[in-house]
Amino acid sequence: MTETREQLLLEAFAGLADTLVDDYDVVELLQTLVETCSSLLGATASGVLLADEHGELDVVAATSEASRLVEVMQLSASAGPCIESFRTGRPVSLADIRDAPPEWSQFRAKALDLGFRAVHAVPMRLREQIIGTLNLLGEEVGELPDDDLIAARAFADVATIGILHARTIAQSTLVRRQLQTALDSRVLIEQAKGVVAYSHRISVEEAFTVIRQYARSHQARLSEVAAAVVRRDLRL
């Protein structure tokens, strides 16, 4: 029997909730989040920007190198819908990227060059605390349906609560350390992707799949596997 979209959404929320256990892997949580958004909300690609202890954004999870490049372009230019969403704490949508304002010209050019035509950015926030943005990119022009926007905001809320956790709201030092750990882990993962891609002559996306599958099958953290690959202690 084919599952309905509502059933799939409920299962996705349950799956995200299952990751919120003691000592969970933040990077794995966010990677699951973006993959879920791409598969259930009709996004061509998705990504997450997370702020470090100084409030500077960086790419922590993405479903493709293309989406990662678009977000990096926004970071380098300090302008774009994702940056705007983080600054204002409100969702920002561009149904047609060609209509982006002049100050977002670098983002517009890179996004169009990579085949994206629409973008929707959702803040990751809990009350007044904003820690990043969830970003959905589409290859077709058009608004994000209201139901999909509600689901995206709910997914972002689940991830935000997971990262901050109830006890960390009153423990800002722990929050900053956890966010910084996620950002530091992503640097190692990017390096490991390059190592595996080069050694196997495969794409960066395929290399990430290899690393992630190894981590899952061995019940290890992505960051730990990546560090071992970078140190050459592990050859995948």
Side-chain angles (χ1 to χ4, degrees):
M1 181 177 177
T2 302
E3 291 183 296
T4 65
R5 184 171 183 274
E6 288 72 20
Q7 288 174 315
L8 292 172
L9 284 170
L10 287 173
E11 289 177 3
F13 278 114
L16 285 171
D18 283 344
T19 67
L20 305 182
V21 296
D22 290 340
D23 200 31
Y24 65 88
D25 189 332
V26 173
V27 175
E28 176 64 26
L29 168 67
L30 295 178
Q31 190 63 36
T32 299
L33 172 66
V34 296
E35 290 177 357
T36 299
C37 286
S38 288
S39 64
L40 294 183
L41 304 185
T44 304
S46 305
V48 166
L49 294 175
L50 206 61
D52 64 14
E53 60 183 317
H54 305 294
E56 298 295 326
L57 290 169
D58 201 355
V59 182
V60 178
T63 56
S64 70
E65 284 302 301
S67 58
R68 182 177 181 277
L69 287 173
V70 169
E71 295 185 344
V72 167
M73 179 57 67
Q74 293 184 72
L75 294 175
S76 63
S78 295
C82 306
I83 306 296
E84 185 69 13
S85 180
F86 176 71
R87 288 174 176 168
T88 64
R90 297 191 298 269
V92 176
S93 292
L94 267 180
D96 190 337
I97 288 176
R98 291 171 295 185
D99 295 333
E103 59 268 28
W104 295 356
S105 59
Q106 291 186 46
F107 154 76
R108 179 177 61 236
K110 175 58 70 174
L112 292 174
D113 181 58
L114 291 171
F116 298 120
R117 295 295 179 268
V119 61
H120 312 280
V122 177
M124 296 177 64
R125 64 178 298 171
L126 180 63
R127 301 183 182 89
E128 299 306 311
Q129 187 169 11
I130 306 170
I131 64 172
T133 60
L134 167 64
N135 314 300
L136 311 179
L137 293 153
E139 58 186 6
E140 300 292 339
V141 171
E143 296 285 354
L144 190 68
D146 289 342
D147 287 349
D148 285 355
L149 179 58
I150 292 171
R153 295 181 71 168
F155 282 137
D157 288 345
V158 169
T160 302
I161 292 170
I163 292 171
L164 294 176
H165 214 259
R167 68 180 182 276
T168 65
I169 295 174
Q171 300 173 5
S172 59
T173 299
L174 180 57
V175 172
R176 289 195 299 270
R177 188 186 310 125
Q178 191 173 41
L179 296 181
Q180 190 62 51
T181 296
L183 293 167
D184 292 343
S185 295
R186 194 65 202 188
V187 172
L188 278 174
I189 291 168
E190 291 301 321
Q191 293 174 342
K193 284 160 61 176
V195 171
V196 174
Y198 178 79
S199 62
H200 291 281
R201 300 296 189 271
I202 57 177
S203 70
V204 175
E205 286 91 347
E206 291 171 325
F208 183 52
T209 297
V210 170
I211 296 169
R212 195 176 181 205
Q213 287 177 341
Y214 182 92
R216 283 182 165 181
S217 64
H218 289 76
Q219 297 184 326
R221 286 172 171 259
L222 275 172
S223 56
E224 293 172 350
V225 174
V229 169
V230 172
R231 293 194 307 267
R232 302 300 196 277
D233 292 339
L234 174 64
R235 298 185 184 278
L236 301 181

